[in-house]
Amino acid sequence: DQQVKQNSPSLSVQEGRISILNCDYTNSMFDYFLWYKKYPAEGPTFLISISSIKDKNEDGRFTVFLNKSAKHLSLHIVPSQPGDSAVYFCAASAISSGSARQLTFGSGTQLTVLP
Amino acid sequence: ETGVTQSPTHLIKTRGQQVTLRCSSQSGHNTVSWYQQALGQGPQFIFQYYREEENGRGNFPPRFSGLQFPNYSSELNVNALELDDSALYLCASSFGTLNTGELFFGEGSRLTVL
């Protein structure tokens, strides 16, 4: 039962153009959504997040959009740069058993930005 | 500021053996979470430790256990290793248990079970 899905395993875009990465979720209990970036041989690094009470959050070149009715979020990167080439994980956050906040990750999208 | 460090980076075990993975949290962080990342998948939550006690657990059997020490470092122990335990094990630290989800991850320990 995949509660967070990233249906595109890979995406290639030209440098300077927009990259759009998509994510769908099923659990209505998720109240925060995050994007992490992962380079080979490194751990995931936090990129940007959005609360479920918002529909947009922007940080420099990165914008995350949330459509709660569709249970869909997307990450826009404008303009895309070769250094953005990495695996991008969508994650959703909810309070789990006890008081732990647990992240549920999608399977990732490999973004390649072509020079 | 010291980031999250994990050891060992790579190890190979045989089925039925036991393994211990170690994690030092980022300075100032008192909460440690462990995740398992199988090949081609996203990380899966194993459990979280806060104040030296397990504070939440994902869908993993009891042979996955952990410890947190007074300096907030942590261990993940896996008994009776199975082939499917082959994965990258990620440790992440944060401050407090109700952090909205921004975790600081180490580079991981890659376990291969033969």
Side-chain angles (χ1 to χ4, degrees):
Chain A
D1 174 28
Q2 269 191 291
Q3 297 187 58
V4 178
K5 287 186 183 179
Q6 294 177 258
N7 292 317
S8 299
S10 63
L11 173 69
S12 292
V13 298
Q14 210 67 37
E15 181 179 5
R17 305 294 288 269
I18 184 171
S19 295
I20 300 176
L21 295 95
N22 294 302
C23 178
D24 297 295
Y25 65 95
T26 57
N27 189 343
S28 300
M29 297 302 292
F30 293 139
D31 56 356
Y32 282 92
F33 302 88
L34 306 93
W35 287 92
Y36 280 80
K37 179 170 72 173
K38 187 179 187 301
Y39 293 117
E42 294 184 12
T45 55
F46 170 77
L47 193 56
I48 191 170
S49 66
I50 187 168
S51 163
S52 60
I53 62 173
K54 296 187 175 181
D55 55 18
K56 177 182 175 182
N57 188 27
E58 201 170 345
D59 184 3
R61 297 185 298 115
F62 303 91
T63 303
V64 56
F65 295 92
L66 175 63
N67 182 334
K68 279 187 68 177
S69 60
K71 292 190 172 67
H72 177 85
L73 65 154
S74 61
L75 174 68
H76 293 209
I77 307 174
V78 182
S80 302
Q81 300 173 353
D84 296 330
S85 297
V87 176
Y88 287 78
F89 289 102
C90 169
S93 175
I95 302 288
S96 70
S97 58
S99 61
R101 185 167 278 282
Q102 171 182 339
L103 290 185
T104 302
F105 285 84
S107 55
T109 297
Q110 171 69 57
L111 173 66
T112 303
V113 180
L114 305 167
Chain B
E1 185 178 82
T2 308
V4 177
T5 58
Q6 293 185 242
S7 63
T9 53
H10 295 83
L11 70 166
I12 300 172
K13 293 284 188 177
T14 56
R15 196 169 46 183
Q17 284 189 311
Q18 178 265 344
V19 68
T20 297
L21 307 178
R22 294 176 176 83
C23 171
S24 293
S25 61
Q26 180 161 313
S27 61
H29 287 179
N30 58 9
T31 304
V32 173
S33 302
W34 286 91
Y35 286 79
Q36 180 198 65
Q37 185 180 9
L39 199 61
Q41 297 181 23
Q44 269 195 292
F45 178 70
I46 303 175
F47 43 53
Q48 182 184 88
Y49 274 82
Y50 174 68
R51 291 185 173 176
E52 302 175 48
E53 290 190 0
E54 186 179 293
N55 187 48
R57 190 177 186 95
N59 190 25
F60 281 82
R63 60 188 184 84
F64 285 78
S65 63
L67 286 172
Q68 187 181 33
F69 301 99
N71 67 353
Y72 308 128
S73 66
S74 177
E75 285 182 357
L76 164 66
N77 300 290
V78 188
N79 294 323
L81 283 168
E82 300 176 0
L83 297 180
D84 284 349
D85 296 334
S86 295
L88 180 68
Y89 289 85
L90 293 163
C91 170
S93 73
S94 58
F95 182 79
T97 62
L98 296 180
N99 174 288
T100 56
E102 182 180 347
L103 303 179
F104 294 80
F105 284 88
E107 294 181 0
S109 294
R110 184 162 296 283
L111 171 65
T112 301
V113 182
L114 302 176

